[in-house]
Amino acid sequence: MPEGDTVWQAAKRLDSALAGKVLTRSDLRVPRFATADLTGRRVLDVTARGKHLLTRVEGGLTLHSHLRMDGSWRIYADDQRWNGGPTHQIRAILANTDLTAVGYRLPVLELLRTADEHKAVGHLGPDLLGPDWDPERALANLLQDPARPLGEALLDQRNLAGVGNVFKSEICFLLGVTPWLPVGALPADRAAQLPVLAKRLLEANRDRPVRNTTGRRGPDLFVYGRAPRPCLRCRTSLRVADQGDGSRERPTYWCPTCQTGPTPAPRPRTPGGPHSRTSRRTDN
Protein backbone atom coordinates (compact mmCIF):
# COMPACT_ATOMS: atom_id res chain seq x y z
CA MET A 1 0.00 0.00 0.00
CA PRO A 2 1.29 3.53 -0.73
CA GLU A 3 3.19 5.01 2.22
CA GLY A 4 5.90 7.65 2.32
CA ASP A 5 8.54 5.41 0.76
CA THR A 6 6.23 4.31 -2.06
CA VAL A 7 5.14 7.87 -2.84
CA TRP A 8 8.78 8.97 -2.84
CA GLN A 9 9.46 6.30 -5.46
CA ALA A 10 6.49 7.45 -7.52
CA ALA A 11 7.73 11.05 -7.42
CA LYS A 12 11.21 9.94 -8.51
CA ARG A 13 9.80 8.01 -11.49
CA LEU A 14 7.51 10.86 -12.53
CA ASP A 15 10.26 13.44 -12.18
CA SER A 16 12.60 11.33 -14.32
CA ALA A 17 9.93 10.93 -17.01
CA LEU A 18 8.48 14.44 -17.08
CA ALA A 19 10.78 17.07 -15.57
CA GLY A 20 12.37 19.47 -18.02
CA LYS A 21 10.12 18.40 -20.89
CA VAL A 22 7.19 20.12 -22.57
CA LEU A 23 3.80 18.43 -22.28
CA THR A 24 2.33 17.35 -25.62
CA ARG A 25 -0.81 15.95 -24.02
CA SER A 26 -2.75 16.85 -20.89
CA ASP A 27 -5.99 15.18 -19.87
CA LEU A 28 -7.43 15.62 -16.35
CA ARG A 29 -10.48 13.39 -16.03
CA VAL A 30 -12.15 14.92 -13.00
CA PRO A 31 -15.17 17.17 -13.46
CA ARG A 32 -13.71 20.27 -11.80
CA PHE A 33 -10.60 20.33 -14.01
CA ALA A 34 -11.81 18.54 -17.13
CA THR A 35 -11.35 21.66 -19.27
CA ALA A 36 -7.89 22.51 -17.89
CA ASP A 37 -5.13 22.05 -20.47
CA LEU A 38 -1.44 21.97 -19.57
CA THR A 39 -0.29 21.18 -23.11
CA GLY A 40 2.67 23.30 -24.15
CA ARG A 41 3.88 23.88 -20.59
CA ARG A 42 7.18 22.54 -19.34
CA VAL A 43 7.17 20.33 -16.26
CA LEU A 44 9.53 21.82 -13.69
CA ASP A 45 9.70 19.00 -11.17
CA VAL A 46 7.73 16.32 -9.37
CA THR A 47 8.19 16.03 -5.62
CA ALA A 48 6.70 14.04 -2.77
CA ARG A 49 5.39 15.64 0.40
CA GLY A 50 4.49 12.87 2.82
CA LYS A 51 1.92 10.82 0.90
CA HIS A 52 1.15 13.66 -1.52
CA LEU A 53 2.56 14.22 -5.02
CA LEU A 54 3.18 17.70 -6.41
CA THR A 55 3.80 18.07 -10.15
CA ARG A 56 4.89 21.64 -10.86
CA VAL A 57 4.59 23.12 -14.34
CA GLU A 58 5.43 26.42 -16.00
CA GLY A 59 3.08 29.27 -15.33
CA GLY A 60 2.97 28.80 -11.57
CA LEU A 61 0.69 25.76 -11.54
CA THR A 62 0.87 22.53 -9.53
CA LEU A 63 -1.01 19.29 -10.13
CA HIS A 64 -1.64 17.81 -6.69
CA SER A 65 -2.46 14.12 -6.38
CA HIS A 66 -2.80 11.58 -3.58
CA LEU A 67 -2.73 7.81 -4.02
CA ARG A 68 -4.60 6.80 -0.85
CA MET A 69 -5.08 3.00 -0.89
CA ASP A 70 -5.45 2.11 -4.58
CA GLY A 71 -4.14 4.98 -6.68
CA SER A 72 -1.05 4.74 -8.88
CA TRP A 73 0.93 6.61 -11.50
CA ARG A 74 2.40 4.51 -14.30
CA ILE A 75 4.90 5.47 -16.97
CA TYR A 76 4.65 4.16 -20.54
CA ALA A 77 6.69 4.44 -23.71
CA ASP A 78 4.86 5.01 -26.98
CA ASP A 79 4.91 1.34 -27.91
CA GLN A 80 3.75 0.06 -24.51
CA ARG A 81 0.24 -1.08 -23.71
CA TRP A 82 -1.39 0.72 -20.78
CA ASN A 83 -2.09 -1.93 -18.17
CA GLY A 84 -2.82 -0.11 -14.92
CA GLY A 85 -6.55 -0.78 -15.05
CA PRO A 86 -9.63 -0.23 -17.19
CA THR A 87 -9.95 3.05 -19.07
CA HIS A 88 -12.71 4.35 -16.80
CA GLN A 89 -10.24 4.31 -13.87
CA ILE A 90 -7.85 6.75 -15.55
CA ARG A 91 -7.92 10.15 -13.86
CA ALA A 92 -4.95 11.91 -15.47
CA ILE A 93 -2.72 11.69 -18.54
CA LEU A 94 0.46 13.73 -18.92
CA ALA A 95 2.63 13.07 -21.97
CA ASN A 96 5.70 14.43 -23.73
CA THR A 97 7.40 13.31 -26.92
CA ASP A 98 9.04 10.34 -25.16
CA LEU A 99 6.84 9.07 -22.33
CA THR A 100 3.30 9.13 -20.97
CA ALA A 101 2.36 9.24 -17.29
CA VAL A 102 -1.07 7.79 -16.53
CA GLY A 103 -2.76 8.25 -13.15
CA TYR A 104 -5.16 5.45 -12.17
CA ARG A 105 -7.80 5.57 -9.43
CA LEU A 106 -6.50 8.83 -7.99
CA PRO A 107 -8.93 9.80 -5.20
CA VAL A 108 -7.40 13.28 -5.01
CA LEU A 109 -6.50 15.24 -8.14
CA GLU A 110 -6.54 19.02 -8.26
CA LEU A 111 -4.85 21.81 -10.15
CA LEU A 112 -3.79 24.75 -8.00
CA ARG A 113 -1.43 27.67 -8.06
CA THR A 114 2.05 26.71 -6.92
CA ALA A 115 1.90 29.62 -4.49
CA ASP A 116 -1.13 27.90 -2.91
CA GLU A 117 0.45 24.48 -2.35
CA HIS A 118 0.16 25.11 1.38
CA LYS A 119 -3.60 24.70 1.04
CA ALA A 120 -3.01 21.06 0.05
CA VAL A 121 -0.01 20.10 2.18
CA GLY A 122 0.48 22.88 4.72
CA HIS A 123 -1.23 20.84 7.43
CA LEU A 124 1.39 18.10 7.28
CA GLY A 125 3.95 17.52 9.98
CA PRO A 126 7.67 17.07 9.27
CA ASP A 127 8.24 14.84 6.24
CA LEU A 128 10.27 11.74 7.08
CA LEU A 129 11.82 11.78 3.60
CA GLY A 130 11.78 15.52 3.02
CA PRO A 131 14.16 18.42 3.59
CA ASP A 132 11.92 19.75 6.36
CA TRP A 133 12.41 16.66 8.58
CA ASP A 134 12.67 17.71 12.23
CA PRO A 135 12.71 14.79 14.72
CA GLU A 136 12.21 17.02 17.77
CA ARG A 137 9.16 18.69 16.26
CA ALA A 138 7.74 15.34 15.13
CA LEU A 139 8.06 13.92 18.65
CA ALA A 140 6.54 17.04 20.18
CA ASN A 141 3.60 16.72 17.79
CA LEU A 142 3.07 13.08 18.78
CA LEU A 143 3.15 13.92 22.48
CA GLN A 144 0.63 16.77 22.23
CA ASP A 145 -2.19 14.33 22.97
CA PRO A 146 -0.68 11.92 25.53
CA ALA A 147 -3.86 9.85 25.86
CA ARG A 148 -4.04 9.04 22.16
CA PRO A 149 -3.08 5.48 21.12
CA LEU A 150 0.36 5.41 19.56
CA GLY A 151 -0.84 3.70 16.38
CA GLU A 152 -3.41 6.41 15.70
CA ALA A 153 -0.90 9.17 16.44
CA LEU A 154 1.60 7.70 13.98
CA LEU A 155 -1.00 7.63 11.21
CA ASP A 156 -1.95 11.27 11.78
CA GLN A 157 -0.03 13.05 9.05
CA ARG A 158 -0.25 16.30 11.00
CA ASN A 159 2.22 14.82 13.47
CA LEU A 160 4.74 13.45 10.98
CA ALA A 161 4.26 12.76 7.30
CA GLY A 162 4.88 9.42 5.61
CA VAL A 163 3.88 6.65 8.04
CA GLY A 164 1.11 4.34 6.88
CA ASN A 165 -0.49 1.22 8.28
CA VAL A 166 2.43 -1.11 7.50
CA PHE A 167 5.09 1.08 9.09
CA LYS A 168 2.78 1.81 12.02
CA SER A 169 2.67 -1.85 13.00
CA GLU A 170 6.37 -2.39 12.32
CA ILE A 171 7.47 0.68 14.32
CA CYS A 172 5.40 -0.36 17.32
CA PHE A 173 6.87 -3.86 17.18
CA LEU A 174 10.43 -2.55 17.05
CA LEU A 175 9.68 -0.24 19.98
CA GLY A 176 8.30 -3.21 21.94
CA VAL A 177 4.90 -1.62 22.63
CA THR A 178 1.41 -2.21 21.29
CA PRO A 179 -0.24 0.30 18.94
CA TRP A 180 -2.91 0.87 21.62
CA LEU A 181 -0.44 2.16 24.20
CA PRO A 182 -1.18 5.83 24.99
CA VAL A 183 1.58 8.00 23.55
CA GLY A 184 2.19 9.55 26.96
CA ALA A 185 2.88 6.10 28.44
CA LEU A 186 5.73 5.43 26.03
CA PRO A 187 8.95 5.19 28.08
CA ALA A 188 11.21 8.21 27.55
CA ASP A 189 14.04 6.21 26.01
CA ARG A 190 11.72 4.63 23.44
CA ALA A 191 10.02 7.95 22.72
CA ALA A 192 13.43 9.38 21.88
CA GLN A 193 14.07 6.44 19.54
CA LEU A 194 10.75 6.76 17.70
CA PRO A 195 11.52 9.56 15.18
CA VAL A 196 14.96 8.11 14.44
CA LEU A 197 13.52 4.63 13.93
CA ALA A 198 10.70 5.85 11.67
CA LYS A 199 13.10 7.80 9.48
CA ARG A 200 15.54 4.90 9.28
CA LEU A 201 12.80 2.49 8.13
CA LEU A 202 11.44 4.79 5.43
CA GLU A 203 14.87 5.79 4.15
CA ALA A 204 15.94 2.14 3.96
CA ASN A 205 12.88 1.33 1.84
CA ARG A 206 12.59 4.29 -0.49
CA ASP A 207 14.72 2.57 -3.16
CA ARG A 208 13.52 -1.01 -2.61
CA PRO A 209 10.97 -2.70 -4.91
CA VAL A 210 9.75 -4.79 -1.95
CA ARG A 211 9.36 -3.23 1.47
CA ASN A 212 11.57 -4.83 4.13
CA THR A 213 11.94 -4.09 7.83
CA THR A 214 13.54 -7.31 9.06
CA GLY A 215 16.85 -6.95 7.27
CA ARG A 216 16.62 -10.51 5.99
CA ARG A 217 15.56 -12.14 2.74
CA GLY A 218 12.33 -13.37 4.21
CA PRO A 219 9.97 -12.77 5.79
CA ASP A 220 10.22 -9.10 4.82
CA LEU A 221 8.11 -7.79 7.71
CA PHE A 222 8.09 -8.57 11.42
CA VAL A 223 4.34 -8.48 12.07
CA TYR A 224 2.28 -6.78 9.37
CA GLY A 225 0.18 -9.28 7.43
CA ARG A 226 1.66 -12.27 9.27
CA ALA A 227 -1.04 -13.21 11.83
CA PRO A 228 -1.48 -15.92 13.05
CA ARG A 229 1.99 -17.06 12.05
CA PRO A 230 4.73 -17.17 14.71
CA CYS A 231 6.68 -14.10 15.78
CA LEU A 232 10.16 -14.06 14.26
CA ARG A 233 11.65 -13.36 17.67
CA CYS A 234 9.69 -15.39 20.24
CA ARG A 235 7.57 -17.75 18.05
CA THR A 236 4.33 -16.64 19.73
CA SER A 237 1.36 -16.54 17.37
CA LEU A 238 0.94 -13.00 16.06
CA ARG A 239 -2.39 -11.25 16.40
CA VAL A 240 -4.44 -8.79 14.41
CA ALA A 241 -7.31 -6.45 15.26
CA ASP A 242 -8.80 -3.31 13.82
CA GLN A 243 -7.67 0.07 15.08
CA GLY A 244 -9.07 3.47 14.23
CA ASP A 245 -10.59 6.69 15.46
CA GLY A 246 -14.09 5.76 14.33
CA SER A 247 -13.74 7.23 10.84
CA ARG A 248 -11.74 4.31 9.50
CA GLU A 249 -10.64 1.00 10.97
CA ARG A 250 -7.30 -0.42 9.91
CA PRO A 251 -5.96 -3.96 10.45
CA THR A 252 -3.19 -3.73 13.03
CA TYR A 253 -0.71 -6.47 13.87
CA TRP A 254 1.32 -7.16 17.02
CA CYS A 255 3.08 -9.79 19.08
CA PRO A 256 1.43 -10.36 22.48
CA THR A 257 4.77 -11.42 23.99
CA CYS A 258 7.28 -8.97 22.53
CA GLN A 259 5.02 -5.92 22.81
CA THR A 260 3.65 -4.56 26.07
CA GLY A 261 0.59 -2.38 26.52
CA PRO A 262 -3.18 -2.54 26.14
CA THR A 263 -4.75 -4.61 23.38
CA PRO A 264 -8.30 -5.19 22.13
CA ALA A 265 -9.92 -8.60 21.97
CA PRO A 266 -8.65 -9.87 18.60
CA ARG A 267 -10.92 -11.46 16.05
CA PRO A 268 -9.59 -14.64 14.43
CA ARG A 269 -7.95 -14.14 11.04
CA THR A 270 -6.39 -16.44 8.52
CA PRO A 271 -3.34 -15.72 6.35
CA GLY A 272 -5.54 -15.61 3.26
CA GLY A 273 -8.30 -13.58 4.90
CA PRO A 274 -9.28 -9.94 4.37
CA HIS A 275 -6.54 -8.65 6.67
CA SER A 276 -3.71 -10.51 5.01
CA ARG A 277 -1.37 -8.09 3.24
CA THR A 278 1.71 -8.25 1.08
CA SER A 279 4.66 -5.89 1.26
CA ARG A 280 5.14 -5.88 -2.51
CA ARG A 281 4.65 -2.53 -4.21
CA THR A 282 1.52 -2.13 -6.25
CA ASP A 283 2.19 1.21 -8.00
CA ASN A 284 4.77 0.66 -10.71
Side-chain angles (χ1 to χ4, degrees):
M1 63 181 59
E3 303 196 20
D5 57 335
T6 310
V7 177
W8 190 91
Q9 289 185 12
K12 184 178 179 180
R13 288 193 299 271
L14 286 167
D15 188 77
S16 178
L18 301 176
K21 300 175 182 178
V22 175
L23 293 174
T24 57
R25 181 181 179 185
S26 163
D27 187 358
L28 305 183
R29 299 181 181 181
V30 293
R32 184 180 174 190
F33 302 104
T35 60
D37 188 4
L38 301 176
T39 302
R41 297 176 187 256
R42 187 180 305 275
V43 175
L44 303 178
D45 65 87
V46 183
T47 189
R49 180 74 174 86
K51 300 181 184 180
H52 299 252
L53 283 164
L54 302 171
T55 302
R56 301 182 180 111
V57 299
E58 284 180 327
L61 294 176
T62 295
L63 184 64
H64 166 231
S65 59
H66 195 297
L67 306 180
R68 296 261 172 93
M69 293 292 290
D70 301 315
S72 70
W73 279 96
R74 293 175 180 255
I75 310 297
Y76 300 101
D78 286 342
D79 59 348
Q80 282 185 293
R81 178 175 175 270
W82 297 3
N83 59 0
T87 302
H88 71 267
Q89 292 183 348
I90 294 175
R91 296 292 176 267
I93 301 172
L94 299 175
N96 53 46
T97 55
D98 300 313
L99 297 168
T100 300
V102 184
Y104 290 91
R105 300 171 299 278
L106 301 175
V108 176
L109 184 70
E110 61 176 343
L111 189 63
L112 64 158
R113 294 173 54 206
T114 301
D116 292 334
E117 284 181 1
H118 64 279
K119 294 181 180 179
V121 297
H123 66 288
L124 298 175
D127 186 347
L128 283 154
L129 295 178
D132 69 318
W133 173 243
D134 183 339
E136 293 183 359
R137 182 180 157 212
L139 183 57
N141 290 346
L142 289 166
L143 294 174
Q144 279 184 343
D145 186 355
R148 192 176 192 185
L150 176 59
E152 291 181 22
L154 285 171
L155 289 182
D156 191 335
Q157 302 299 294
R158 296 170 298 181
N159 291 331
L160 70 171
V163 173
N165 209 37
V166 176
F167 281 119
K168 175 196 79 172
S169 292
E170 296 295 294
I171 289 170
C172 289
F173 174 80
L174 290 169
L175 289 174
V177 298
T178 70
W180 290 271
L181 182 79
V183 176
L186 189 64
D189 61 331
R190 299 186 207 184
Q193 294 174 21
L194 196 160
V196 178
L197 174 62
K199 182 172 179 61
R200 176 165 59 83
L201 288 179
L202 265 75
E203 280 193 333
N205 283 282
R206 67 182 182 183
D207 291 316
R208 289 175 175 162
V210 178
R211 188 177 289 129
N212 182 290
T213 61
T214 62
R216 59 179 79 178
R217 288 196 170 185
D220 293 305
L221 304 176
F222 282 107
V223 293
Y224 188 86
R226 296 193 61 247
R229 282 167 282 184
C231 173
L232 297 179
R233 287 182 175 172
C234 72
R235 310 308 294 174
T236 301
S237 179
L238 297 175
R239 297 182 183 175
V240 58
D242 291 325
Q243 182 182 34
D245 58 7
S247 61
R248 185 176 188 180
E249 301 294 322
R250 297 172 184 256
T252 301
Y253 298 82
W254 80 99
C255 173
T257 300
C258 294
Q259 294 171 256
T260 60
T263 60
R267 284 181 277 171
R269 308 289 187 193
T270 60
H275 285 341
S276 178
R277 294 291 187 269
T278 177
S279 61
R280 187 168 298 277
R281 312 284 189 194
T282 56
D283 56 325
N284 298 318

